[in-house]
Amino acid sequence: MRPPPASPTETFRRLLQPPWPWLVLFAAASSLVIQLFPEARGGLLYDRGAIAHGEFWRIWTGHLVHFGWPHLVVDAGLLLIVGTIAEKENPWFFRIGFVLMPAFISGCMFWLEPTMTRYGGLSAFNLGVLLFIAAQGWRKDWTDWFWPAVIAIYIGELFYEYYRGGEGGGAIRFDDPHISVATGAHLAAAGYVILALIVMRLRTKNIAEE
């Protein structure tokens, strides 16, 4: 018999208890420090030309750079929510994804979007984590409408960004008028999650057959 789902209050209380989501806190704090010292942004931002010349750290640090305080608040705020859930409920996915997903996103942009010369922000990583949480939640209960609704909203957001051509930041106002929403990065995050789910499924199947 399936145990009753935890109430929102119980879930929230569990998320506030140790162990603390150290990777989430590290990423949020690092983003805040970078925002406080804008002169450091140029050396950390995803910059296609700089990466091509060997500055490979930008593949990861670029995701911690934000274009203005509104951009930081939205991205860091969402990370504190979805990241905490993932780091506590699916620690191995989050720990591996914390390293591999930013590199996968940056790699996809570098090889598939040559016109994307600059990129910054945690939004693609956040949406990837959110998609994984939604997929896992739906898998646990296929009759639950909430998680497929989250996935549908995710897909709808991607179509909306594509329809608008990535112009502007939607509800977010960037501090650089030349910055637009990076739909390709969001699609790359979804691709990473799909690959991760396939690998997890195959691994589970192999263990069951042993």
Side-chain angles (χ1 to χ4, degrees), residues 16 36 45 53 91 103 118-119 140 143 146 171 184 202:
L16 293 180
L36 289 171
L45 187 68
H53 285 85
R118 295 189 300 160
Y119 174 81
K140 292 177 181 178
T143 64
F146 177 77
L202 292 175

Side-chain angles (χ1 to χ4, degrees), residues 103-188:
F104 183 86
I105 295 169
S106 296
C108 287
M109 289 191 295
F110 188 86
W111 294 108
L112 302 178
E113 289 197 272
T115 59
M116 178 70 71
T117 58
R118 295 189 300 160
Y119 174 81
L122 285 161
S123 62
F125 178 81
N126 286 340
L127 289 175
V129 174
L130 177 61
L131 180 60
F132 179 82
I133 293 173
Q136 291 295 88
W138 195 16
R139 184 180 64 83
K140 292 177 181 178
D141 186 354
W142 294 107
T143 64
D144 187 354
W145 62 269
F146 177 77
W147 295 117
V150 171
I151 296 174
I153 292 172
Y154 182 97
I155 296 173
E157 169 67 15
L158 293 178
F159 274 107
Y160 178 69
E161 290 176 8
Y162 178 79
Y163 173 76
R164 293 194 60 191
E167 297 179 359
I172 303 174
R173 292 294 175 261
F174 301 125
D175 62 3
D176 186 336
H178 298 98
I179 299 299
S180 59
V181 176
T183 304
H186 297 168
L187 287 171

